[in-house]
Amino acid sequence: MVKKDDPDYVFEEYKGHTIASHKNNVAEKDINNLIIVYRKEEFPEYGFIVGLDDSKMSGRRKSFPHNMEDAKSYIDWVVEVRQKKEAANLDKEKPTVMIEGTAFLFDIDKITLTEKGNPANNIYFSSMRDYGTHYEFDYSRVSKKFHVLHSPYLRNKPVVLGNPITAPEGDPVVTVKIPCIGEIDPDGMCRKYGCTKKDIAEKTDFEIMVDQDIFERRMDGIPVTIDLAGKRFEIDVAGNALRPQDGNGETIYLNALYDYFSIDREAYQLFCNTATSKIEDPFRDGTLNKRMDCVIVEVPRLSDLDPIGANRVNGVEPGYGLMYRTLSMYHDPQILPWEEYSNSMKNQHHWAFQNLNASPAKRDLPTEKIEGTDFIVDVIKFELREKGNEQNVISFKDMTDFGEGYSFEYSRKTKNIPDVYEKSDVLIEIPEFVGLDPVGMAQKYGLTVEEVKAKTDFELMVDQYAFDMRLNKGRLPTIDIAGQLFYVDIRMDMLRPKDDFLSKGILFDEIDHYFSEERNAYLIPYDPKKHEFRELDYDKITEFPKDLIAVQFPFQKELDPIGWNRQGGWNIKDDLKKIGVKGHFNALTVPWQETYLPAIIKENLERQKKQEQKGKPEIKTKENTTRKSRGRKM
C-alpha cells in the first residue's frame, strides 16, 4: 500500500486525481512501470493500477506497457464518463416544460429552457416578458425558438423595429405562457436562493431572486459607487461618468476616455494615480511607459455596474432583467498587473494602442479679450487666466449667470473682479463656455464638437437625469446618516427620516447655530437610535457622550438647490451649474476628538476642580430667560 509521504513514489495532481508514479519508472512505455491512479478523496486506500488488465474473472492478470501519458488518458476518460453520467442524471431530474408539443428542460442555474435532445437550442427567461404571475414570449413552431417578431419589452402586440410587422408565411406568431420559476422548479428555487416553499407561495420570482434591500435603496435614489485608489465615486449611467462621492475632485467622463475601452474585456482600463485618485491620460501625453505612479483599474460598462440606473435611462421598468444579474451597491474594480496589461494590449482592440506612435500635439487654449487684455479660457477648471500672468484668475464661481452667458464687475486696474467698486470699473459679459471653447467642452464631456454646439452650458454641466427626477418627477434628495435614510424636505425645513414615524427628524431651525463656517457644513450631535438631533448641556458636560455621535452634512442649498430656489421664489436654475444637482448624500461621522467638545470638556473639568477646592458652588449670573438658549457650537 502506498503511503501519502512514501519516498519511493512521485506524486502529481491531475483533474481531481492523484497519480503515484514509482521513482524507478521510465518515461517511455514500459511493462515494468508502476503507476497508480487515485481519486483525491480515496487516496491512498483505493487506486487503479495503470497497464493492468482486470477484465479476467480468473487466472493471471495481463500487463501492458504504459507510462504517465496513459495514466492521464485514463483520467481524461474517467472524467468524461462521469460528466456524461452526471449530465444524464441532471437531465433526468430537470423539470420538463412542454411548448407546442416539444419538450424543454428547465435549468435553474442558467434560468433557461433547453430543447430536450438539442442542447444547442436555448430559450432564455431574460428575454421573456415578465408579468409577475407568469412569463410570456412569442414562439416559432418552425425554429422552436423566439419568433422573429418577439419583443421582450412589449406586453401587447409584439413589434420589433427593423423587422417585418407581419410573420413570414407558414410561421405564425404563437404567444406562449410559461409558469413562474418557483412553480416550475420549487426545489431548485429553494436550493439556489435559500428560500422556503412558503416564500414561493407568497412571493413573486422577482421578490425571491432579486436582492430587495439593494433594489429599494437604489429606488430611493442611493447611488451605486466604485472605489478607485481609495476614493469613492458615484456611478452616473446617464452621463457615463464617475462623480466623486464627497464632492471633492474632478468628475471622470468615460466618453472622453473611449480609447481606453477594451472590447475584448468589455471594460475601461484606466490609469489611476494612487496618490491623487485622478485618472491620467498617458496615451495622449506620451507617458505610457513612465506611469509607475499609477495602477491600471478595470471599470466595466456602467450599465453592468448599475443595471437599475441603465433601465431608467433607457426608459424601461427599473426591475427589468434584474433577476439575471447580481446586484451590488459597491464595486471594487480589478487591478491589472503591468506585465499582464502590456501583454494583453497586443491582442486587444484599443483605438489608442494603434496610435501610440503618433504624438498628439498639445492644444493651444483659446483666449478671450477683456478690455484689451487676453485671458486664457480653461474649461477644465472653468476659469479665465490672464495670458502672461496666470496667477491672475477670474473664477466661474465668482461670475453671475444670466442664462445666455456670464457677467462680472471688472477692474481695469487689477484686471480682476474688484474688492471695492470704483468709477473706472466696468461690467463685462462673456458667452457660455460651449461658445468660448467648444473643442475643450467636447473633450471634457466626451462629445463631438457638433453635439456641443447644439447644447447649452446648463445641459452639460448639470446632471440632467438628477435635474429631471427632482423637478419633474418630484423625487426628494436623500441623505444617509449613520445608516438611516433621511429625505431632504426644504418645504418642511427638515431632514425627515424614512420609515421612522416616531422620530421628529432633524429641524434646520434647531441646528442653525451648529453650522460651521470653517467646515462649510453642519456639525451636530446625533442620536443614532432615535434618529434625531439632540442638544448637549455644554455647561455640565465632562466626557464624550456614549449614546450620541457627531455627524457632518452640507447646508440646505447644497442638499437641494432646486427646493431651495423654489422655496425662496428664485429662478429654479439659479446656481445649479455651480452647486450641481445630486439625488443622494452621505453624512460624515466625525470623531468627538475632532470637534470643539474636548476644549469644552477641559474647561468644565477645570472649573469643577476649582469649585471643589473652594468647597462651594460657583454662582452664575442669571441668564435672560426670555430667549431660549441654543447652546454652544461644537
Side-chain angles (χ1 to χ4, degrees):
M1 177 177 171
V2 177
K3 297 179 180 178
K4 288 186 177 182
D5 55 351
D6 198 319
D8 291 331
Y9 286 84
V10 177
F11 299 98
E12 182 179 339
E13 302 295 329
Y14 181 73
K15 291 187 177 180
H17 291 71
T18 299
I19 304 174
S21 175
H22 197 276
K23 64 180 182 180
N24 293 331
N25 288 349
V26 294
E28 298 78 21
K29 290 180 183 286
D30 192 293
I31 199 170
N32 295 314
N33 282 346
L34 178 56
I35 304 174
I36 309 173
V37 172
Y38 302 86
R39 292 184 67 172
K40 263 189 179 181
E41 59 271 21
E42 296 176 351
F43 177 75
E45 280 76 21
Y46 305 102
F48 171 78
I49 301 175
V50 179
L52 184 64
D53 184 0
D54 273 337
S55 61
K56 293 176 67 175
M57 298 295 294
S58 61
R60 286 179 60 86
R61 292 178 292 182
K62 189 175 181 181
S63 295
F64 297 92
H66 59 279
N67 62 2
M68 285 292 286
E69 288 184 9
D70 295 303
K72 291 184 177 180
S73 296
Y74 167 73
I75 293 173
D76 290 338
W77 173 77
V78 169
V79 170
E80 183 181 357
V81 170
R82 189 182 301 128
Q83 287 176 342
K84 287 182 178 178
K85 186 177 179 180
E86 289 174 354
N89 289 336
L90 282 174
D91 283 351
K92 205 171 187 182
E93 296 170 1
K94 286 178 181 176
T96 301
V97 176
M98 298 299 297
I99 301 177
E100 294 292 305
T102 299
F104 284 81
L105 300 175
F106 175 72
D107 188 331
I108 185 66
D109 294 312
K110 297 179 180 177
I111 315 294
T112 59
L113 295 173
T114 302
E115 183 182 353
K116 194 169 185 178
N118 182 16
N121 183 25
N122 295 295
I123 298 176
Y124 292 89
F125 275 69
S126 58
S127 295
M128 297 182 188
R129 299 187 290 272
D130 180 7
Y131 285 82
T133 56
H134 66 281
Y135 301 89
E136 285 186 10
F137 70 95
D138 304 307
Y139 179 75
S140 166
R141 294 192 185 101
V142 177
S143 66
K144 297 183 180 179
K145 298 180 181 179
F146 289 115
H147 198 279
V148 293
L149 295 185
H150 169 73
S151 168
Y153 299 109
L154 303 180
R155 292 186 173 181
N156 299 317
K157 204 166 184 179
V159 176
V160 178
L161 295 177
N163 286 339
I165 59 174
T166 57
E169 188 174 349
D171 186 13
V173 173
V174 179
T175 300
V176 175
K177 288 187 177 181
I178 303 294
C180 290
I181 294 172
E183 184 179 339
I184 296 174
D185 188 4
D187 292 329
M189 194 81 154
C190 293
R191 170 181 60 81
K192 183 173 181 179
Y193 297 102
C195 61
T196 64
K197 298 288 179 66
K198 183 181 178 183
D199 291 331
I200 293 174
E202 296 176 351
K203 297 179 180 180
T204 64
D205 288 351
F206 182 86
E207 290 171 326
I208 293 173
M209 297 166 67
V210 176
D211 188 317
Q212 293 301 301
D213 177 61
I214 292 179
F215 181 72
E216 288 176 9
R217 291 173 68 193
R218 192 67 191 88
M219 293 303 292
D220 281 335
I222 300 175
V224 179
T225 62
I226 187 169
D227 185 285
L228 298 182
K231 187 176 180 66
R232 280 274 162 197
F233 290 82
E234 295 179 359
I235 292 171
D236 175 7
V237 177
N240 198 27
L242 304 176
R243 304 181 186 277
Q245 188 176 50
D246 59 8
N248 298 320
E250 297 179 3
T251 297
I252 301 169
Y253 294 97
L254 294 177
N255 285 343
L257 298 167
Y258 66 92
D259 40 354
Y260 289 87
F261 186 81
S262 165
I263 298 173
D264 296 337
R265 299 178 72 98
E266 296 187 348
Y268 293 91
Q269 295 177 331
L270 306 178
F271 287 73
C272 185
N273 190 305
T274 53
T276 63
S277 299
K278 181 181 177 182
I279 299 301
E280 306 289 355
D281 194 357
F283 284 156
R284 291 188 176 86
D285 62 25
T287 61
L288 180 61
N289 298 319
K290 304 174 185 177
R291 298 317 305 238
M292 293 300 106
D293 56 343
C294 293
V295 292
I296 301 167
V297 294
E298 275 198 335
V299 177
R301 288 187 178 94
L302 299 192
S303 56
D304 293 333
L305 298 180
D306 182 15
I308 298 174
N311 286 344
R312 285 170 164 174
V313 171
N314 294 325
V316 298
E317 294 178 1
Y320 176 75
L322 300 188
M323 293 191 295
Y324 320 104
R325 294 176 176 268
T326 301
L327 298 183
S328 177
M329 293 297 293
Y330 310 99
H331 296 278
D332 289 306
Q334 180 182 351
I335 296 178
L336 285 182
W338 274 88
E339 184 177 352
E340 180 182 341
Y341 176 76
S342 300
N343 292 335
S344 65
M345 279 285 285
K346 298 174 184 177
N347 301 317
Q348 292 182 8
H349 299 86
H350 273 272
W351 175 88
F353 184 67
Q354 307 301 325
N355 296 275
L356 287 180
N357 294 327
S359 311
K362 190 174 180 181
R363 188 175 74 96
D364 290 330
L365 296 182
T367 59
E368 177 75 2
K369 193 176 288 293
I370 299 176
E371 292 293 304
T373 300
D374 286 329
F375 281 80
I376 297 170
V377 179
D378 187 338
V379 298
I380 300 300
K381 298 180 179 179
F382 285 125
E383 66 183 24
L384 304 177
R385 295 192 301 274
E386 183 184 350
K387 192 171 183 179
N389 179 22
E390 298 195 12
Q391 300 300 315
N392 185 30
V393 175
I394 301 175
S395 174
F396 159 69
K397 291 185 177 181
D398 296 325
M399 301 178 189
T400 300
D401 180 4
F402 60 84
E404 298 176 356
Y406 310 101
S407 65
F408 53 90
E409 295 289 340
Y410 179 79
S411 168
R412 292 189 177 100
K413 294 178 180 178
T414 63
K415 298 183 179 180
N416 208 309
I417 298 174
D419 294 326
V420 180
Y421 176 76
E422 296 183 9
K423 288 184 178 181
S424 60
D425 296 342
V426 292
L427 180 67
I428 300 297
E429 292 186 357
I430 61 172
E432 290 193 302
F433 287 103
V434 291
L436 290 171
D437 186 10
V439 175
M441 292 291 274
Q443 291 178 351
K444 179 167 184 173
Y445 294 102
L447 303 172
T448 65
V449 175
E450 289 71 25
E451 288 173 324
V452 166
K453 288 181 177 179
K455 294 181 179 292
T456 63
D457 280 4
F458 184 86
E459 291 171 320
L460 293 178
M461 296 166 68
V462 176
D463 185 332
Q464 294 301 300
Y465 175 77
F467 178 73
D468 178 66
M469 292 301 292
R470 178 66 187 95
L471 183 64
N472 301 319
K473 305 296 190 302
R475 175 169 292 169
L476 295 178
T478 55
I479 181 169
D480 186 301
I481 302 179
Q484 170 65 36
L485 195 68
F486 286 78
Y487 294 109
V488 181
D489 195 328
I490 298 295
R491 186 178 60 84
M492 296 183 67
D493 195 36
M494 69 182 297
L495 297 179
R496 179 162 48 85
K498 179 180 184 289
D499 299 332
D500 185 354
F501 302 105
L502 297 178
S503 168
K504 67 176 184 178
I506 300 172
L507 299 171
F508 287 114
D509 183 57
E510 291 184 355
I511 65 171
D512 61 354
H513 56 294
Y514 277 93
F515 185 80
S516 168
E517 300 289 347
E518 179 185 354
R519 296 172 181 264
N520 193 32
Y522 288 106
L523 180 59
I524 69 169
Y526 172 76
D527 187 331
K529 290 185 178 179
K530 293 185 177 180
H531 307 141
E532 296 175 351
F533 156 75
R534 181 140 36 113
E535 188 68 86
L536 298 175
D537 188 343
Y538 291 101
D539 291 327
K540 295 181 180 180
I541 189 167
T542 57
E543 62 180 356
F544 294 141
K546 293 182 174 59
D547 55 345
L548 303 180
I549 59 175
V551 295
Q552 175 180 314
F553 51 85
F555 188 67
Q556 299 94 295
K557 184 176 181 180
E558 185 175 340
L559 290 171
D560 184 11
I562 294 176
W564 177 268
N565 288 340
R566 178 181 284 158
Q567 188 77 0
W570 299 294
N571 187 305
I572 287 294
K573 295 183 178 181
D574 272 3
D575 289 334
L576 297 192
K577 284 188 273 188
K578 298 176 182 179
I579 298 173
V581 180
K582 292 180 63 176
H584 181 73
F585 296 81
N586 285 284
L588 179 67
T589 300
V590 181
W592 286 117
Q593 293 88 342
E594 297 178 15
T595 69
Y596 293 112
L597 205 54
I600 295 172
I601 290 174
K602 182 181 178 182
E603 179 185 327
N604 288 344
L605 288 173
E606 289 175 352
R607 187 177 67 249
Q608 192 179 80
K609 187 177 180 181
K610 289 179 181 178
Q611 291 174 11
E612 291 172 355
Q613 290 173 349
K614 291 180 180 179
K616 58 182 180 179
E618 181 182 35
I619 299 175
K620 286 191 172 184
T621 304
K622 186 176 180 181
E623 294 182 355
N624 182 1
T625 57
T626 60
R627 181 182 182 275
K628 183 179 176 182
S629 173
R630 293 199 172 191
R632 299 166 64 176
K633 285 189 180 182
M634 290 198 296

